Amino acid sequence: MRFLIRKFISIILTLFLVSIMIFLIFQVLPGNPAEIMLGTEADKYQIQLLEKELGVDKPMIERYGSWLVNLLHGDMGKSIKYQVPVADLFASRFPVTLFLTLYSLAITLILGIPLGIWVASRDSKWYGRVVGTITQLGISIPSFWISFLLMLVFSLKLKWFPTFGYNVMDGNFFSRLYSFFLPAFSISISNIAVVVRYLRTSILEQMRMDYVRTALVKGQKQSTILYRHVLRNALIPVLTILGIIFTSSIGGSIIIENVFALPGLGSLIVQSVSSRDFVLIQSVVLIIATMVIFINFAIDILYQVIDPRIRSGD
């Protein structure tokens, strides 16, 4: 219970500091929202009236307080470019980004964990070097370059997947899986490499522990020891990077959505940056940061479930 209270207080403080940083960053960027909305031909009096209506003529502290209070009440403001509430834009775009992020995360875990176990169970010096080289390539290659390569091979050459014209969230679940496979796989490749590398290293470290040697002396099979004892302890370091992988998946979706023309938050942010729609950007960025913080909190809770030593040490 004390752990939960401390983490909750930490989350509140972190969100508060993040909100200040996001607000300040967009305040110092060039561009007047009133001038953007009215255009270059607007006179000074019209700009002043709109500045007063938008509240940008108030002191910075007052603007921050109003923005934060409105967010707590579910009011994200009104988009400068689209002239609709930001909450409505977020609600229409968020399902695409969420589905893409969770899809890529599922691919990462479904492929990464079995591959990590398989690689660790066949450990040798030359094999380790080969795996290390492959995983390093997977981590180093940018996801957008991988997406172009996959699109060239599987969409343009083999014509197995579409390059555009997605049904997005329409149709049945399996058609969405099909349409989103290339974008999700593009994001997951580097994450799979990370999971394989961490899990392989963690399993090999656990296999050198005294309890493994004791189990071998007692006559237990190595496969039984691996799946019944070693894997549980080896997954703890992997959980550590799940938060990083989730953050990477969200960041990757922002780029990949633009490559594959998916109408999610990523494409919305890029369009908003080009039009200097700071009202929209700062609210969406804060929501994404909040999601990342709470995901990391959920992972900390999983530590408590998986490793009893953490619970006893609290």
Side-chain angles (χ1 to χ4, degrees):
M1 182 60 69
R2 286 179 298 173
F3 167 79
L4 293 176
I5 294 174
R6 289 198 302 268
K7 289 300 296 183
F8 183 75
I9 294 174
S10 175
I11 286 174
I12 298 300
L13 292 175
T14 303
L15 285 174
F16 178 68
L17 293 174
V18 168
S19 68
I20 292 176
M21 292 175 60
I22 292 173
F23 182 81
L24 290 177
I25 288 172
F26 287 105
Q27 294 305 307
V28 299
L29 290 177
N32 188 326
E35 293 179 357
I36 295 172
M37 293 177 68
L38 294 175
T40 56
E41 298 180 357
D43 58 41
K44 187 175 181 180
Y45 179 71
Q46 290 176 316
I47 293 174
Q48 289 176 347
L49 286 178
L50 187 55
E51 284 178 343
K52 186 175 181 180
E53 181 182 345
L54 295 174
V56 296
D57 61 331
K58 297 178 181 178
M60 186 178 297
I61 295 178
E62 188 175 345
R63 294 202 305 271
Y64 170 74
S66 299
W67 176 62
L68 192 60
V69 170
N70 290 335
L71 279 177
L72 293 175
H73 287 86
D75 182 6
M76 302 180 192
K78 190 175 182 180
S79 168
I80 297 173
K81 177 182 179 180
Y82 298 98
Q83 288 296 296
V84 296
V86 174
D88 294 344
L89 287 171
F90 181 83
S92 64
R93 300 293 190 103
F94 178 67
V96 176
T97 300
L98 180 63
F99 186 83
L100 179 59
T101 301
L102 294 179
Y103 193 4
S104 65
L105 187 62
I107 294 174
T108 299
L109 297 178
I110 291 172
L111 296 181
I113 291 178
L115 280 174
I117 296 172
W118 182 76
V119 168
S121 63
R122 288 161 175 78
D123 183 56
S124 64
K125 289 185 178 180
W126 71 269
Y127 201 78
R129 292 193 188 99
V130 172
V131 170
T133 303
I134 294 174
T135 54
Q136 187 61 47
L137 284 174
I139 295 170
S140 303
I141 298 175
S143 59
F144 71 87
W145 189 88
I146 293 175
S147 66
F148 285 128
L149 184 62
L150 293 176
M151 188 184 297
L152 175 65
V153 175
F154 294 102
S155 296
L156 298 179
K157 297 294 184 182
L158 299 177
K159 301 186 184 301
W160 290 355
F161 298 95
T163 56
F164 61 90
Y166 295 90
N167 290 326
V168 190
M169 302 308 292
D170 297 331
N172 58 46
F173 178 74
F174 293 103
S175 67
R176 291 198 294 269
L177 290 179
Y178 168 75
S179 295
F180 278 76
F181 178 77
L182 279 188
F185 191 62
S186 301
I187 298 171
S188 65
I189 286 179
S190 61
N191 295 331
I192 291 172
V194 172
V195 170
V196 170
R197 170 170 287 194
Y198 270 79
L199 187 56
R200 173 182 175 271
T201 302
S202 182
I203 289 176
L204 294 179
E205 288 177 354
Q206 290 295 320
M207 292 298 290
R208 300 187 188 100
M209 294 291 183
D210 291 337
Y211 75 90
V212 174
R213 286 194 289 267
T214 303
L216 288 172
V217 169
K218 291 182 177 180
Q220 292 189 24
K221 294 181 180 179
Q222 188 168 352
S223 59
T224 303
I225 298 171
L226 173 62
Y227 290 103
R228 186 171 296 178
H229 305 291
V230 171
L231 189 57
R232 182 186 179 102
N233 295 326
L235 283 175
I236 295 175
V238 177
L239 277 177
T240 306
I241 62 170
L242 275 183
I244 300 174
I245 290 175
F246 182 81
T247 305
S248 173
S249 298
I250 294 177
S253 67
I254 293 175
I255 300 173
I256 297 303
E257 283 175 9
N258 288 277
V259 174
F260 287 91
L262 293 173
L265 292 180
S267 57
L268 180 64
I269 290 174
V270 171
Q271 294 166 7
S272 302
V273 169
S274 61
S275 61
R276 295 184 179 181
D277 194 346
F278 299 146
V279 176
L280 190 153
I281 300 171
Q282 66 184 17
S283 297
V284 172
V285 169
L286 181 60
I287 293 172
I288 292 175
T290 303
M291 290 171 54
V292 172
I293 290 171
F294 275 97
I295 285 294
N296 288 322
F297 172 70
I299 291 172
D300 287 339
I301 299 298
L302 282 176
Y303 286 156
Q304 304 282 313
V305 174
I306 291 179
D307 194 345
R309 295 171 297 180
I310 299 178
R311 294 198 299 268
S312 61
D314 186 23

